[in-house]
Amino acid sequence: MSVAEIIERAKGNAGISRDDIAELLSVRRESDIAELFSAARSVRDRVFGNKVFVYGFVYFSTFCRNNCAFCYYRRTNDLPRYRKTADEVLALSGSLKDAGINLVDLTMGEDPFMCAADYSEFLEIVRRVRDDVDISIMVSPGAVPEGSFSKFREAGADWFACYQETYNRDLFSRLRLEQDFDNRLNQKIWARKAGLLSEDGIMVGLGETLEDRADSIIKMGSLGCEQIRAMTFVPQKGTPMESMRPPEPLDELISIAVMRLLFPDRLIPASLDVEGIAGLKSRLDAGANVITSVVPPHEDLAGVAQHELDIDNGRRSVEHVLRMLDEMGKKAASNTEYEGLLRRLRAGGR
Ligand code: SAM
Ligand code: MD0
Ligand code: SF4
């Protein structure tokens, strides 16, 4: 089958096999890549027009009890760490909202202090952001017990993010050391059951095969996750994966485009946490429609995969991102538009 034929089949996910998807993920000829990205853009534009959504990132605690092989913040990496107070998180969320974001992503390592007493401290932060800032909220606390999801929902969270990284169980066990594959998979299911919207994601360039990547994309879609992402692995100092060769971001872009074709109405991030602001346009050009990892400068906040890149020079700030969108002829959605979308997603329509 030609690439054009597979693209046609991929659109709307009609009669496409895992092997077809793997083949689409393997395109390398410049003209094929251009055709794939252009198809992804037109599918996105048909569903979302020229509107994109902008998410502020507040990584409020970098303490973590886990020891993921790929992560800078793994327990055994000896680092200076921080934990913001509830008042600080509130102030950061408020100023991000004033600057024009649609959602604040409250993210932490699996910080024992925040996990204690069934997440009471984190839940209180969520309640205060909801009541005092009144902005849409995503929580990224890691893996939580089944009974906690309804508490996050009641506290005011709209979204629960928890990325499987890969649906290859063997690879998972080498990445997320001492963690349970099924428990992490269930996070997506339990979140949606409790009325939360759910985000899943994969990492690209960890040694997975094209078939693995195809399987992961199919699985994320079939779980019904309303937001799905792919992020290129960035090797981190002090970790067992430190000396791996940094993968080119092209495979991430191709994954974004394939996800867009298969799942036209999902939210798909362009994360600034891989290549910084330099990576924004290429990701939007591949079919993404949400900008994530927007971080205010000079607040001593870190990114995850790129903990410093473009933060204190202001290039990841809301203002700078909005200016860039303007130059690209795109429009940031208003909060009324974003909230309308969330209501439709919750009602099961997209
Ligand atoms: N601690 C929670 C967890 O792990 O679910 C929430 C944190 S969330 C910020 C962490 C996500 O960032 C991971 O699931 C992974 O997809 C991504 N990430 C972490 N380290 C990375 C790296 N070195 N390169 C690329 N992505 C990375
Ligand atoms: C991002 N650094 O959006 C963030 C993070 C967690 N929900 C998101 C991976 O790229
Ligand atoms: Fe902790 Fe999340 Fe990093 Fe794993 S990815 S070490 S759970 S912060």
Side-chain angles (χ1 to χ4, degrees), residues 246-291:
E248 289 296 322
L250 178 63
D251 279 319
E252 172 188 336
L253 303 179
I254 292 175
S255 301
I256 289 174
V258 170
M259 291 191 294
R260 173 59 67 204
L261 291 180
L262 293 173
F263 311 109
D265 43 19
R266 312 286 170 109
L267 298 176
I268 302 180
S271 175
L272 303 182
D273 211 22
V274 177
E275 296 183 274
I277 198 75
L280 175 59
K281 187 171 187 309
S282 56
R283 285 163 179 76
L284 292 177
D285 283 348
N289 68 331
V290 182
I291 305 174

Side-chain angles (χ1 to χ4, degrees), residues 202-230:
I202 54 170
M203 250 190 283
V204 175
L206 298 157
E208 76 285 3
T209 64
L210 291 172
E211 286 74 21
D212 287 337
R213 221 176 279 152
D215 286 340
S216 296
I217 291 175
I218 294 167
K219 186 69 184 176
M220 291 195 292
S222 66
L223 283 170
C225 298
E226 293 83 359
Q227 185 165 303
I228 50 181
R229 72 162 61 203

